[in-house]
Structures are given as C-alpha cells and as structure tokens.
Amino acid sequence: MTNDAQNALRRVIEKFTENTRFCIICNYLSKIIPALQSRCTRFRFGPLSSDQILPRLEYVVEQEGTRGTGHDNHGG
C-alpha cells in the first residue's frame, strides 16, 4: 500500500474503532507507516511445515471437488 492509502486506512480505522476490528497482514512491518503500527497489536507467526499444510490443502481440494496438480502421491 502506498503511504497515502495507509493514511486513508488510518482515518477509516479511527472513525470505526468503537465497533470494528481490523486485521492487517503484512510481510514487512517496516513498510507500514508508524501511525498504523501504533494502532495495531502485533502477532508473529512462523512458517507452517508441509505436514501442517498438506492435510488442510487436501481437505479443501476434496471439498471443492477439484484435483491438485500433483505432489508425490497426492493429486494430479
């Protein structure tokens, strides 16, 4: 997001802070303007392993009735 867009988002957050919660997800905190950072609680998450991702991905593929593109013995 550009700095102007982040400042616009800051104004929206300020306007609706009493009845709304916002979740902002980013890869680089340094690219978020200080005015937004100060209004946020930070949660840091580590990467998931393939063992954690694959069962959920298989479930989604099954629910969507589609096929994967193949990974070892899975899909495609």
Side-chain angles (χ1 to χ4, degrees), residues 25-43:
I25 301 171
C26 67
N27 289 328
Y28 304 103
L29 187 60
S30 62
K31 296 193 181 229
I32 304 299
I33 61 173
L36 273 182
Q37 287 186 38
S38 68
R39 289 164 175 77
C40 296
T41 300
R42 294 181 196 164
F43 297 94

